[in-house]
Amino acid sequence: MKYKEGMLRDEALKDKVIVITGGGTGLGRSMGEYFLRLGAKLVITSRKIEVLEKTAAEMMASHGSEVLPVACDVRHYDQVEQLLSKTLAHYGKADVVLNNAAGNFISPTERLSPNAFDAVIDIVLKGSKNVTLAFGKHWIENKQTDKCFLNIVTTYAWTGSSFVVPSAMAKAGVLAMTRSLAVEWAKYGIRSNAIAPGPFPTKGAWSRLLPGNLQEKLDLAKQVPLKRAGEHQELANLAAYMVSDFAAYMNGEVVTLDGAEWLQDAGQLNFLDVLTPEHWDYLASLSKPKGS
Ligand code: HXC
Ligand code: NAP
């Protein structure tokens, strides 16, 4: 199985300038590492400049290409405008925006303060809106084409989910934005797509979704029909394709990469998976017409 290997050919992203929010950690970092291997130049951004600088130094040491760390809290539009200015000052252009920054924690909804609700919605929904608006306006005003947004959502953007209601609401909004702008901004040569990852181990997500000893008690991989969590490289492969010119006709799409996790509880008869071959033989003997 080759899913732990890079998929695209060398230089598939040559000279593309890719801005990754939340690019200093977790999945944002993993996607960025692969984009660099394919010839891209990066801007990585989040709130913590010391994390970004360390990641950028390690990335440049490994790949020899350019990585610009920029502190930016995506909740604030003025900081996002500065992110755009710094990107243009350094590289002269931006080609791809990866809206990946997020905040999340689990809680019964009735226990949330209004401020706790806003903490998640402001990062995910308002933050993705701020970055999209700033870069989109720039591309449109300057008649720059062949640009794209890639937004990281979740499968509960369309199913909803208990205990992560602010995140589900915000990701649903990001998905609506993705599909809306795919049509509205297509005429400007701007594509908008999304990926809905299933469980991919990261410190940021798993320490908040499974705090304390929940990680030992609940194995997220067991919820997945393929019985494993995702490998960062397989997400990076998909993301690299979707932001590359090879995906020039893909627009308004959300690609699920979750081993069928979200469908697990959806199919009405999926629960029959507990039956053994002997059970199936017995049931067949009851229900099949005699002689067939
Ligand atoms: C209830 C909580 C809480 C918790 C914080 N709050 N944590 N309420 N349960 N666990 C409340 C606080 O009491 C406060 O409300 C309000 O939220 C804001 O808290 P702050 O700490 O001031 O917020 P802030 O510094 O902005 O931090 C935001 C954060 C934090 C979301 C709370 O976790 C963060 O920075 N996260 C970034 C990284 C992250 O979450 N990564 C995971 C993405 S994973 P009051 O009323 O007291 O002022 C993901 C996976 C999806 O999205 C799906 C996986 C399958
Ligand atoms: P992560 O490492 O915690 O990534 C979240 C990033 O967002 C961090 O780098 C964080 O950096 C940044 N961030 C948070 N608030 C910000 C703000 N206000 N402004 C700018 N940056 C901010 O978690 P992850 O698992 O890699 O998550 C990455 C993406 O994948 C998220 O969109 C998440 O919803 C999605 N996802 C993950 C999983 C999974 O299983 N891991 C599943 C489905 C979807 P700072 O703290 O420095 O700001």
Side-chain angles (χ1 to χ4, degrees):
M1 291 283 271
K2 295 196 168 180
Y3 61 83
K4 293 182 191 171
E5 295 171 22
M7 180 182 79
L8 291 192
R9 69 185 184 214
D10 289 351
E11 306 203 333
L13 298 178
K14 189 167 169 27
D15 294 332
K16 279 199 189 291
V17 174
I18 303 182
V19 179
I20 307 178
T21 69
T25 64
L27 300 181
R29 176 178 177 153
S30 296
M31 290 186 275
E33 299 261 10
Y34 188 46
F35 296 165
L36 284 175
R37 274 169 54 198
L38 296 172
K41 296 169 182 167
L42 296 190
V43 180
I44 57 172
T45 185
S46 78
R47 293 165 299 181
K48 299 185 192 107
I49 190 63
E50 61 289 353
V51 173
L52 296 169
E53 281 173 346
K54 183 167 180 289
T55 299
E58 288 168 4
M59 283 174 153
M60 286 191 281
S62 303
H63 305 289
S65 346
E66 262 184 292
V67 182
L68 179 69
V70 177
C72 166
D73 185 331
V74 293
R75 293 173 292 188
H76 302 295
Y77 195 76
D78 56 337
Q79 292 190 30
V80 173
E81 286 186 310
Q82 284 170 24
L83 166 69
L84 172 62
S85 306
K86 286 177 183 168
T87 302
L88 298 178
H90 191 82
Y91 291 119
K93 63 166 187 164
D95 297 303
V96 174
V97 168
L98 177 52
N99 276 310
N100 164 80
N104 203 1
F105 49 77
I106 50 167
S107 173
T109 307
E110 68 277 13
R111 290 188 183 204
L112 293 176
S113 68
N115 203 26
F117 231 103
D118 289 349
V120 173
I121 289 186
D122 285 356
I123 299 170
V124 178
L125 182 58
K126 197 170 156 190
S128 303
K129 173 274 289 180
N130 283 343
V131 178
T132 302
L133 194 61
F135 282 78
K137 275 174 181 283
H138 169 74
W139 288 334
I140 293 165
E141 279 162 14
N142 292 283
K143 298 191 168 38
Q144 295 183 357
T145 58
D146 301 325
K147 308 295 180 187
C148 74
F149 293 102
L150 179 61
N151 302 324
I152 304 300
V153 295
T154 56
T155 56
Y156 58 57
W158 56 89
T159 62
S161 176
S162 306
F163 308 121
V164 283
V165 170
S167 175
M169 289 168 60
K171 293 288 192 183
V174 173
L175 183 54
M177 179 178 75
T178 307
R179 290 176 166 149
S180 305
L181 292 180
V183 176
E184 187 181 335
W185 286 356
K187 60 181 173 286
Y188 300 120
I190 301 171
R191 297 186 296 118
S192 294
N193 291 296
I195 297 176
F200 281 77
T202 65
K203 185 164 174 280
W206 291 34
S207 65
R208 288 176 175 91
L209 298 176
L210 299 173
N213 66 357
L214 270 184
Q215 277 187 51
E216 290 141 39
K217 292 198 166 160
L218 296 176
D219 183 358
L220 283 187
K222 286 200 181 125
Q223 313 291 328
V224 180
L226 288 176
K227 299 297 175 217
R228 68 172 175 88
E231 285 285 335
H232 286 208
Q233 184 61 49
E234 51 196 336
L235 178 68
N237 282 339
L238 176 63
Y241 165 69
M242 289 174 76
V243 303
S244 78
D245 296 342
F246 298 110
Y249 202 48
M250 183 185 278
N251 192 22
E253 189 54 76
V254 54
V255 180
T256 302
L257 193 68
D258 76 337
E261 183 203 36
W262 85 271
L263 289 167
Q264 170 79 6
D265 295 325
Q268 219 166 19
L269 296 174
N270 287 356
F271 67 93
L272 292 180
D273 201 36
V274 295
L275 297 190
T276 62
E278 291 72 31
H279 283 127
W280 283 112
D281 290 342
Y282 175 65
L283 291 175
S285 74
L286 296 179
S287 59
K288 272 191 181 169
K290 293 258 177 303
S292 68

